[in-house]
Amino acid sequence: MTTLSRFRAVWRGWPAVARIAVIYVMSRLVTTALMLQVAAAAPSTSRFGPNPSLGDFVLGWDAQWYWTVAVFGYPSALPRDDAGTVAENAWAFMPVYAHLSNAVGLGVWGTGALVVSLVAGFVACLGLHGLLRRRLDDDAAMWSVALFASAPLAALFQVGYAEALFLAFLMLALWALAARRWWWLYALVPLMGYTRPGILAFALMLGLYGLVRWFRRRSDVLSSSEIVHILALGALAVAVGFSWQIIAGIVTGVPDAYLQTELAWRRGWLPGTEGFVPFEGWLGAAPLWFSLWGLPAWTGYVGLALIVGLAAWGLLARRVRALGPEVQLWSISYVVYLLAVFFPQSSTFRLLVPLSPLWGAAPRSRWGRIVALLLCVLGQWVWIAAMYGHGNTFWQIP
């Protein structure tokens, strides 16, 4: 037996949680090294200045909004610009991550945020492995975890953003759905909903899941208790998804306070935006971006159609179907949700992170996996350098 064969035998003999811990720690060390290299090369024109510390990165960009929520709470009067339009404010950021980080850090928010993100990232890896292991062999599931832990935006596991915590709840929720541990979901749905936007996508997924289970009920028995759970959880997800808008309206006295707050960021790109119209964001962004690139506006619509078509083709592919209806339906629902509510800009890649269960559809060959891992690390370096090392303009906001 060769040394490599002995190593594989020993490695596979370890419990899954131990192997995931090794993968996760090694991935975090690589990310830390990349962040230190980027910080050392940061120019004076960067938002963080020359030679920023890792702590500066942890507290950078949207982390400041979460800190604001934890320390000052939400404004009872919406801030407005000189024209009377609602300005950017804390109502766009959900409370769970902000206050949990404050509690964990014992009032030192940055420390708590780092700890919460790191631990949540590990929990997300465990949840992803448990979810994919139901459909894939151990080797494929573990490689999926390695790619997830080293993904181009894996630095989110080490900064003050709510994505890592949301991913932890999401992976556990999808695992619970696949395992039909219904009672877990009654806790996870509100936790997801008050961590970051996206719970309405989960509500859509539950609706589609119920339909799939209904049409497959002869081969996969759908009991009356399961029907009740699916309907109740769907209703809960919808209620949680709209409750934040109601809470913001009651506190501020402005019924559409939350929507106006979210639109404040969009007005930086499309001045004059007044109300929210589903799917309008992408239709408005398509000609805008292509015009900025020096191309005719009509090419933006062509590009958008190609993007939507490729996304549909990918989500319906056999390799994605093989991951199970929970992963496929979540991915479809989340893409529809993004198309309906999001305005594509520099945060687009971060907004795609909840599609991480799709790492289960990664290459199966040894060299395909190695190349994918190397590309992930390269992607990390590019993203960290662009957003943190050199970030100082509108298209460099994570």
Side-chain angles (χ1 to χ4, degrees), residues 137-295:
D137 61 39
D138 182 70
D139 209 36
M142 201 61 69
W143 265 100
S144 299
V145 170
L147 294 172
F148 170 59
S150 303
L153 271 69
L156 290 171
F157 296 139
Q158 298 179 218
V159 295
Y161 273 69
E163 265 68 19
L165 187 60
F166 182 84
L167 284 171
F169 294 144
L170 173 64
M171 299 302 183
L172 292 175
L174 291 174
W175 169 83
L177 183 62
R180 298 173 190 177
R181 303 289 183 88
W182 304 105
W183 294 108
W184 284 55
L185 291 166
Y186 287 97
L188 289 167
V189 164
L191 288 171
M192 280 192 291
Y194 296 121
T195 297
R196 69 176 295 281
I199 195 60
L200 290 177
F202 200 82
L204 174 59
M205 185 270 292
L206 286 170
L208 295 175
Y209 174 83
L211 290 174
V212 168
R213 289 291 308 279
W214 174 262
F215 286 113
R216 295 181 179 176
R217 65 189 184 278
R218 291 184 179 178
S219 59
D220 184 6
V221 177
L222 179 64
S223 66
S224 57
S225 63
E226 287 186 307
I227 294 174
V228 171
H229 280 304
I230 293 169
L231 292 174
L233 287 165
L236 176 62
V238 170
V240 170
F242 285 105
S243 65
W244 192 244
Q245 298 181 38
I246 296 172
I247 292 169
I250 292 173
V251 173
T252 63
V254 180
D256 61 345
Y258 175 72
L259 292 178
Q260 288 299 322
T261 295
E262 289 287 2
L263 290 174
W265 273 268
R266 187 178 300 188
R267 292 188 191 101
W269 299 86
L270 291 177
T273 300
E274 295 184 1
F276 170 72
V277 178
F279 300 101
E280 185 181 53
W282 288 82
L283 292 173
L288 170 67
W289 275 106
F290 278 71
S291 296
L292 290 174
W293 296 330
L295 298 171

Side-chain angles (χ1 to χ4, degrees), residues 38-394:
V38 166
S44 58
T45 55
S46 166
R47 176 185 176 91
F48 300 94
N51 297 310
S53 67
L54 293 182
D56 292 330
F57 287 170
V58 171
L59 293 171
W61 297 113
D62 282 1
Q64 288 293 302
W65 284 111
Y66 288 109
W67 172 82
T68 299
V69 169
V71 175
F72 300 106
Y74 296 95
S76 57
L78 293 175
R80 297 179 181 272
D81 58 22
D82 294 338
T85 304
V86 174
E88 298 171 357
N89 66 85
W91 280 109
F93 300 87
M94 306 301 181
V96 170
Y97 178 78
H99 291 295
L100 179 60
S101 297
N102 207 39
V104 170
L106 300 177
V108 182
W109 192 86
T111 300
L114 177 60
V115 171
V116 169
S117 290
L118 283 170
V119 173
F122 178 60
V123 173
C125 288
L126 293 175
L128 178 63
H129 181 268
L131 172 65
L132 296 180
R133 191 65 183 86
R134 301 179 63 84
R135 296 280 180 164
L136 304 177
D137 61 39
D138 182 70
D139 209 36
M142 201 61 69
W143 265 100
S144 299
V145 170
L147 294 172
F148 170 59
S150 303
L153 271 69
L156 290 171
F157 296 139
Q158 298 179 218
V159 295
Y161 273 69
E163 265 68 19
L165 187 60
F166 182 84
L167 284 171
F169 294 144
L170 173 64
M171 299 302 183
L172 292 175
L174 291 174
W175 169 83
L177 183 62
R180 298 173 190 177
R181 303 289 183 88
W182 304 105
W183 294 108
W184 284 55
L185 291 166
Y186 287 97
L188 289 167
V189 164
L191 288 171
M192 280 192 291
Y194 296 121
T195 297
R196 69 176 295 281
I199 195 60
L200 290 177
F202 200 82
L204 174 59
M205 185 270 292
L206 286 170
L208 295 175
Y209 174 83
L211 290 174
V212 168
R213 289 291 308 279
W214 174 262
F215 286 113
R216 295 181 179 176
R217 65 189 184 278
R218 291 184 179 178
S219 59
D220 184 6
V221 177
L222 179 64
S223 66
S224 57
S225 63
E226 287 186 307
I227 294 174
V228 171
H229 280 304
I230 293 169
L231 292 174
L233 287 165
L236 176 62
V238 170
V240 170
F242 285 105
S243 65
W244 192 244
Q245 298 181 38
I246 296 172
I247 292 169
I250 292 173
V251 173
T252 63
V254 180
D256 61 345
Y258 175 72
L259 292 178
Q260 288 299 322
T261 295
E262 289 287 2
L263 290 174
W265 273 268
R266 187 178 300 188
R267 292 188 191 101
W269 299 86
L270 291 177
T273 300
E274 295 184 1
F276 170 72
V277 178
F279 300 101
E280 185 181 53
W282 288 82
L283 292 173
L288 170 67
W289 275 106
F290 278 71
S291 296
L292 290 174
W293 296 330
L295 298 171
W298 65 266
T299 59
Y301 296 113
V302 175
L304 177 59
L306 288 174
I307 290 172
V308 173
L310 287 173
W313 173 79
L315 293 174
L316 297 174
R318 183 173 60 181
R319 183 164 286 187
V320 173
R321 294 199 306 272
L323 301 179
E326 298 80 14
V327 171
Q328 185 181 33
L329 294 177
W330 161 253
S331 302
I332 291 171
S333 299
Y334 188 71
V335 168
V336 170
Y337 169 79
L338 287 184
L339 289 172
V341 306
F342 184 57
F343 178 87
Q345 25 82 7
S346 61
S347 298
T348 300
F349 295 108
R350 177 171 60 84
L351 271 291
L352 293 175
V353 167
L355 293 172
S356 292
L358 292 176
W359 281 115
R364 297 286 187 266
S365 69
R366 178 186 302 177
W367 284 109
R369 289 166 170 170
I370 292 173
V371 170
L373 184 60
L374 292 175
L375 289 174
C376 281
V377 175
L378 175 62
Q380 277 193 67
W381 177 77
V382 171
W383 190 77
I384 295 169
M387 302 299 177
Y388 287 91
H390 297 270
N392 63 358
T393 187
F394 66 95

